[in-house]
Amino acid sequence: MADKQTQWGVTGPISMKAPTKPELQLNEALLAELKKQNNFETPEETQTRFTVIAHLKDVTRTFVRHVGERKGLPKSILDSAGGNVFTFGSYRLGVYGPGSDIDTLIVAPKHVSREDFFESFPAILEKMSPAGAIEKLTPVPDAHVPIMKLEYSGVDIDLIFSRLAISTVPADLKLTDNNLLRGLTDTDIMSINGTRVTDEILQLIPQSKTFRHALRAIKLWAQRRAVYANVLGFPGGVAWAMMVARICQLYPKACGSLIVLRFFNLMSEWPWPQPILLKNIEDLPLNHRIWNPKIYPSDARHLMPIITPAYPSMCATHNISHSTKKIILREIKRAKDVSTAIFNGQLKWSDMFEKHTFFTQGYKYYLSIVSASRTKEAQQIWSGLVQSKVRKLVLSIESSEAGIEVVHPFTKGFDRVHRCKTDADIEMVKQGSLKFQASDIQTATTDQTNDIKQSVAAQGESNIHMPTGENGKPANETDEEGISTIYTTTFYVGIELEKDRKSLDISMPVNDFKWQCTEWPQYDADLNSIRIVHTRNYDLPDDVFEAGETKPARSKKSKQTKPNETSATKKRTLDEAGIEVRISMLG
């Protein structure tokens, strides 16, 4: 197919050359490094995934029939109703690794509603599954795209649901058929969009094996360099996949190692905001908005637009800010230099995947955004809500003319548990103190915790129900000895000042950020809190550093106490820094 194809995507290829022997050798070295980095799972683990998906298909067909029987449909319709399971994301693209989630879509015919799904599917799944197979099942029906989080036989699965306006969902149904969109609600279209996009990507690349090898490398690089987090203003998985796919289109016969090199070469010089497109944007008479900067001013403001190929086309990178764009391009430039050195025999692929230096060398000044709650369940939602607002804080600081060169949000939050005896202890924890952190519970990053309610809230969902105690009063976790358990999630933002800048006042952006968080209808000051703490690099907590990393040290000049300055003022909440939320004289 590739030999006959003269053009993949919106332009012709840059090169049709077959890979050279040195390029193939470098490709083998890349695959060896990816395996060394534990990027591939075992055949047994993959077979478990296949088995689980096959079982979900059986459960789905039984579920569809059950709903039809309950609604009194005739046997002829029940026999042909079908129902199917589709996958998307990293699993569908073939770039999953050990412990990866499977993004899964359950598709049903028109007689099955989303309410039926949440009401009946869990019970049918349990009835048809071996004892103990369902390790955890968490439904989130009030999300914008309703979802269930399932842990089944050791496999993490995100289940979403969509019904089509057809009577039968056969096993060979292709969701790329645009006619299937007719009569669907916006929620249903958003639900099937992930599968449609990943299927389109796979149809638009010349060599799937090359694409997968290169994408594995780019994903690992982006994760290690902390530029992989859509909610915080960096490209997410589908955006990086589309960028790699575009390079594959331009070099149809290249091997994975060369695609990686060309990726960084081209992306470092890409004329943003010219969009990355895998195909021409379709405009169909289905009355759905598609990305169009000539019509929509908000689309014209996208800084690094990467456009999904499936109708209705959307921008997968609308969250990117001026600061995160600078950070992404810095990292791409670094990777360009490293990959060039690899091809010149001066470096190895392991150098490409070196960990980021956000905490060790990145910045002198940080904002620590401390969200806290009195129960674990409340914190799962509250921390997600706060995380969803961090990008807006970045945008607000950028536009404040405060003399800041870069506002860099870290891509993960840090979950901690604390045990406090007094209200004073609790207040210290809310302000970022780790003095009362529970010694028997390790700090975990939000991606390690992988809580579905936190993840959904982080996407900007504001309708998720906040749990309460008896009689609707705020719940709390206090034992018989009066020890209160406080749960915190801290998000870190690096601050790079303009050259020769010695002071910083971001009181207005911080006030606005706190207002956005606390104006959430379910916010309760007795249950939740939000603090923003100015933290110098040498005051960062030990648990943000991994073994072998060197924590920044306080310089001799920094150790000196200025007149009228006490140690209590060196690390403080922004509320306490002179004017309400002001940092002054950072130097």
Side-chain angles (χ1 to χ4, degrees), residues 164-208:
L164 302 178
I166 54 179
S167 300
T168 300
V169 176
D172 60 352
L173 182 72
K174 303 294 183 184
L175 292 181
T176 48
D177 181 359
N178 289 326
N179 289 318
L180 294 175
L181 301 180
R182 298 183 186 278
L184 298 191
T185 65
D186 288 342
T187 300
D188 285 323
I189 287 179
M190 285 188 291
S191 297
I192 68 172
N193 184 60
T195 298
R196 284 169 53 81
V197 168
T198 45
D199 285 355
E200 285 269 17
I201 291 172
L202 293 174
Q203 291 177 13
L204 293 167
I205 52 175
Q207 299 185 76
S208 60

Side-chain angles (χ1 to χ4, degrees), residues 239-418:
W240 288 117
M242 289 188 288
M243 295 167 78
V244 172
R246 183 65 186 123
I247 305 304
C248 290
Q249 291 180 335
L250 295 172
Y251 296 89
K253 294 188 177 182
C255 60
S257 61
L258 186 62
I259 293 296
V260 171
L261 175 68
R262 297 297 183 228
F263 176 92
F264 292 120
N265 286 340
L266 267 67
M267 290 303 146
S268 65
E269 304 294 336
W270 192 267
W272 306 106
Q274 178 179 313
I276 289 180
L277 299 168
L278 298 183
K279 58 184 273 190
N280 290 318
I281 296 175
E282 295 179 290
D283 190 2
L284 304 177
L286 295 176
N287 199 31
H288 294 291
R289 173 176 167 168
I290 60 173
W291 186 81
N292 191 332
K294 295 180 179 179
I295 296 177
Y296 305 110
S298 59
D299 291 352
R301 290 192 291 270
H302 294 159
L303 302 177
M304 300 179 72
I306 302 171
I307 310 305
T308 57
Y311 178 88
S313 291
M314 309 172 191
C315 180
T317 46
H318 63 276
N319 282 344
I320 289 178
S321 70
H322 289 284
S323 287
T324 55
K325 178 185 176 183
K326 287 181 182 179
I327 296 158
I328 294 163
L329 293 179
R330 282 180 188 177
E331 289 297 337
I332 288 176
K333 176 62 169 63
R334 170 197 170 271
K336 174 186 175 181
D337 295 341
V338 171
S339 58
T340 299
I342 291 171
F343 269 72
N344 290 336
Q346 300 166 320
L347 292 175
K348 298 181 179 180
W349 285 113
S350 57
D351 296 303
M352 173 78 72
F353 306 123
E354 284 185 354
K355 188 189 170 188
H356 64 84
T357 57
F358 179 85
F359 294 111
T360 56
Q361 302 173 26
Y363 302 94
K364 288 184 179 180
Y365 314 113
Y366 295 83
L367 299 181
S368 301
I369 302 169
V370 186
S371 63
S373 298
R374 287 180 172 268
T375 70
K376 182 178 181 180
E377 291 74 19
Q379 180 61 9
Q380 289 167 344
I381 298 170
W382 174 240
S383 65
L385 186 281
V386 170
Q387 184 179 9
S388 74
K389 308 295 184 185
V390 170
R391 185 183 67 87
K392 295 182 179 180
L393 173 62
V394 171
L395 293 172
S396 185
I397 293 175
E398 285 179 347
S399 62
S400 68
E401 299 182 356
I404 293 178
E405 183 68 26
V406 167
V407 190
H408 184 172
F410 189 59
T411 53
K412 305 170 185 176
F414 289 78
D415 293 330
R416 301 181 176 100
V417 180
H418 316 259

